[in-house]
Amino acid sequence: MFDDKFENRLREHAGELFGPGKEPPAGHRARFEQRLKELEAGQNVPGNKEMSGSIMQTENASEVQKSGRIITLKKRLITAVAAAAILAGFVFLLNPFAEKQQDSELADVRNYYNMKLEEQADLTRQLIQHVDKTHREVLLANVEYIENEPIPELQIPDDEYIILIASVYTNKIETLRNIQEVIRENISVKI
């Protein structure tokens, strides 16, 4: 089973490997052959618990790393949504020069945010084209849902309704940006 060249080289360097004037220990070839067979069969090598332990550590580290990425992504998403809501609140609540809101202002606000949302949705769709087909369909459906999710119609004063519109659209836009960031992180695409 073993090559003669290997056997000859082993005998030549036996002194360096096993000590001066010593031959390889009896049965070392049989043990080596047995270990090879066990490794090929996918079994753990007896006495080599370090290897199987390191494989399990690698698998556990991979799982921990994946869960860490998910937690980090959730934290980023929550932080972005909270920051957008706070910013929208400051913009619309602390404006001392605000006059009475009119219906045309509501339409202007809606149109502005709708335009921003469409830009982000189009950019997200372009990035999704670089994702594999199974995930592409799910992502496109999510973008469609985000884009078409209705804004609630409530009987509240115009200034409060503008804040509501701004916060809903801001959340949608931030969600699309987060999807874009995840796609860019997971697929090395330079657009």
Side-chain angles (χ1 to χ4, degrees), residues 73 77 117 120-122 124-125 128 131 133-150 171-180 182-183:
L73 178 62
L77 180 62
L117 180 66
Q120 292 302 317
D122 289 341
T124 306
R125 283 189 188 97
I128 290 173
V131 176
K133 186 172 179 130
T134 56
H135 294 100
R136 186 179 309 148
E137 293 172 4
V138 172
L139 288 170
L140 287 172
N142 286 334
V143 170
E144 192 71 27
Y145 175 77
I146 291 167
E147 199 173 22
N148 294 324
E149 184 180 5
N171 288 338
K172 289 180 177 187
I173 291 168
E174 286 299 320
T175 303
L176 290 173
R177 286 183 181 158
N178 288 330
I179 291 171
Q180 294 168 16
V182 169
I183 292 171

Side-chain angles (χ1 to χ4, degrees), residues 1-2 28-38:
M1 180 170 178
F2 291 99
H28 81 281
R29 285 181 181 82
R31 286 191 304 275
F32 181 73
E33 189 174 330
Q34 180 62 30
R35 286 182 185 163
L36 256 165
K37 287 178 183 176
E38 288 175 355

Side-chain angles (χ1 to χ4, degrees), residues 26-163:
H28 81 281
R29 285 181 181 82
R31 286 191 304 275
F32 181 73
E33 189 174 330
Q34 180 62 30
R35 286 182 185 163
L36 256 165
K37 287 178 183 176
E38 288 175 355
L39 279 175
E40 289 173 355
Q43 298 175 352
N44 289 335
V45 177
N48 197 359
K49 293 180 182 175
E50 294 172 288
M51 179 184 281
S52 62
S54 67
I55 291 171
M56 290 183 67
Q57 288 175 350
T58 304
E59 291 173 357
N60 290 340
S62 175
E63 290 175 17
V64 168
Q65 190 176 22
K66 286 179 184 176
S67 67
R69 285 182 186 164
I70 292 170
I71 291 170
T72 303
L73 178 62
K74 287 180 181 178
K75 285 181 181 178
R76 284 183 184 175
L77 180 62
I78 291 169
T79 304
V81 169
I86 290 171
L87 180 64
F90 281 126
V91 167
F92 293 107
L93 288 177
L94 297 179
N95 188 356
F97 303 107
E99 297 175 320
K100 276 279 204 197
Q101 304 295 330
Q102 299 173 353
D103 289 340
S104 65
E105 289 178 348
L106 280 173
D108 290 343
V109 169
R110 251 186 220 264
N111 291 337
Y112 172 78
Y113 278 103
N114 198 25
M115 179 186 67
K116 291 289 189 184
L117 180 66
E118 286 178 27
E119 290 174 359
Q120 292 302 317
D122 289 341
L123 181 60
T124 306
R125 283 189 188 97
Q126 289 173 0
L127 284 172
I128 290 173
Q129 295 307 314
H130 299 284
V131 176
D132 63 334
K133 186 172 179 130
T134 56
H135 294 100
R136 186 179 309 148
E137 293 172 4
V138 172
L139 288 170
L140 287 172
N142 286 334
V143 170
E144 192 71 27
Y145 175 77
I146 291 167
E147 199 173 22
N148 294 324
E149 184 180 5
I151 297 175
E153 294 290 332
L154 303 173
Q155 296 295 328
I156 57 176
D158 286 349
D159 57 339
E160 292 177 13
Y161 194 67
I162 288 175
I163 294 171

